[in-house]
Amino acid sequence: MFSFPTFATAVAVLTVLHRSVDARNVSNVLIYSATAGFRHDSIPTAVQAMSDRAANYGINFVNTEDRTRFNDEYLSQFDALFFLHTTGDVLDRAGEAAFQRYLDNGGNFVAAHAAANGLPESVTFSRTLGAQFTYHPQFQNATYVVERADHPSTVGLPARWRVADEVYNYGSDPRELGAVVVLSVDETTYEDDGDHSPWQGDPHPIAWYQEHLKGTNSTGLVGRSWYTGLGHSNASWHDDLFMGHVFGGLTWALDSNTTRATNPSATVGSLGPSYTPPPPAPTTSIHVEGDGVNGGSSYRFESGIFGGLSLVGSAVLLSSLWVLQAL
């Protein structure tokens, strides 16, 4: 408490808050990039770009195009499966059955771009993904609109994001399965001579998530699903905003608490080693109030508003408020 004989007494409480961060296992993520249709030349670029950033997120990536890896023993070590540009029938019946059992055991699913043009006859895959690709106009610039700014996959993106990519259209509306669209595209900002797939709903979905993925038969642990329609070009995977979008979606899926990275009772996922995420930037809470003398005022700033202030900056702010009290 600071007392000033000529004006109101001010009480200032400065608190630097840290959110607790719990240790977890390093998350194992299988990047599956097999193709049986069109093959994107950005696949190796994407794999390398994700691998280069893996340590920053406590993730261990494994890349395969071997469909025989889709068996119970092999898949059981992964906390998420990332389907990257997987076009066509990239799994046989045994692989699809193993994929189903992985999901039934609480596994998580993430996919990018042309994965929506894969396994078109698989009900499990389609429901887990959310919607299947129909067509796209030519590669061009378009404006993508953030629909949910509070989701990790859109944090840091501009509200209207100008991107050069293929604008995918889909044969159904993922929202009909309970998916939440986080990114849409403004259809007035690009050229498309097609029918815009009226079945996909409005606004035109581009990225979405399922809190509880719909491809599972489980009545117990149910993992998460996240998909983005972006990522066609090599340039995308060198773009920091796009990579933040992808890792935001992936890390959100990994936080499902349905695999061993975070839940030791789970039956699929990483068995270690342990990983402690870096703490978020501290936030600051300031409370200044007068004692009523000379019309003393009260100022209250909730945690986070001045999170970027240093202790020196906070002291300057407090001094300014005390001056205001004296006026």
Side-chain angles (χ1 to χ4, degrees):
M1 178 176 294
F2 300 83
S3 297
F4 297 87
T6 58
F7 57 90
T9 299
V11 178
V13 179
L14 175 64
T15 307
V16 178
L17 303 174
H18 292 272
R19 188 177 64 192
S20 61
V21 178
D22 297 326
R24 56 191 296 171
N25 288 342
V26 168
S27 298
N28 288 332
V29 175
L30 178 66
I31 302 175
Y32 189 50
S33 54
T35 55
F38 180 84
R39 184 170 181 85
H40 284 69
D41 64 9
S42 60
I43 287 175
T45 302
V47 172
Q48 187 62 55
M50 286 190 282
S51 298
D52 288 345
R53 291 164 172 79
N56 297 334
Y57 296 90
I59 296 173
N60 173 49
F61 285 114
V62 176
N63 176 222
T64 188
E65 298 192 356
D66 182 357
R67 66 176 61 193
T68 67
R69 291 294 194 178
F70 273 70
N71 60 72
D72 294 345
E73 181 180 4
Y74 189 73
L75 294 185
S76 68
Q77 64 187 305
F78 294 101
D79 298 280
L81 306 181
F82 193 128
F83 277 57
L84 174 65
H85 299 331
T86 44
T87 56
D89 293 320
V90 292
L91 293 176
D92 56 21
R93 289 186 178 181
E96 286 189 43
F99 176 62
Q100 177 73 73
R101 289 189 293 271
Y102 171 79
L103 299 178
D104 291 346
N105 286 326
N108 300 296
F109 175 86
V110 175
H113 195 57
N117 196 22
L119 296 170
E121 304 302 319
S122 171
V123 174
T124 294
F125 183 80
S126 295
R127 287 175 62 82
T128 299
L129 180 71
Q132 287 275 0
F133 164 83
T134 53
Y135 80 97
H136 66 77
Q138 64 182 355
F139 184 92
Q140 62 189 296
N141 283 301
T143 298
Y144 296 84
V145 181
V146 171
E147 299 291 341
R148 289 290 299 268
D150 59 342
H151 193 267
S153 64
T154 57
V155 170
L157 296 182
R160 292 178 63 82
W161 184 26
R162 194 71 174 165
V163 178
D165 212 307
E166 291 176 338
V167 180
Y168 268 24
N169 291 275
Y170 304 93
S172 62
D173 187 345
R175 287 160 288 219
E176 293 179 355
L177 291 172
V180 177
V181 173
V182 297
L183 195 67
S184 66
V185 63
D186 183 341
E187 293 185 339
T188 69
T189 64
Y190 64 96
E191 296 182 1
D192 183 355
D193 295 331
D195 64 4
H196 292 267
S197 293
W199 315 278
Q200 66 192 349
D202 182 50
H204 182 151
I206 291 296
W208 58 79
Y209 70 84
Q210 297 179 43
E211 176 69 41
H212 304 290
L213 59 85
K214 295 302 187 292
T216 182
N217 296 319
S218 175
T219 57
L221 293 176
V222 177
R224 290 173 166 179
S225 169
W226 182 85
Y227 167 80
T228 182
L230 300 176
H232 170 80
S233 69
N234 285 284
S236 294
W237 299 92
H238 290 300
D239 183 83
D240 288 339
L241 280 178
F242 175 74
M243 293 305 292
H245 174 57
V246 169
F247 272 94
L250 174 56
T251 55
W252 171 83
L254 291 170
D255 281 338
S256 65
N257 202 38
T258 62
T259 67
R260 289 187 292 232
T262 56
N263 184 350
S265 299
T267 58
V268 296
S270 170
L271 292 172
S274 64
Y275 164 74
T276 301
T283 57
T284 306
S285 177
I286 302 175
H287 178 208
V288 180
E289 62 181 21
D291 62 2
V293 177
N294 298 323
S297 303
S298 178
Y299 305 89
R300 182 182 298 274
F301 303 99
E302 297 300 329
S303 170
I305 296 178
F306 292 99
L309 288 179
S310 65
L311 291 177
V312 173
S314 300
V316 171
L317 174 61
L318 290 174
S319 299
S320 300
L321 291 175
W322 288 328
V323 170
L324 289 174
Q325 290 265 5
L327 297 178

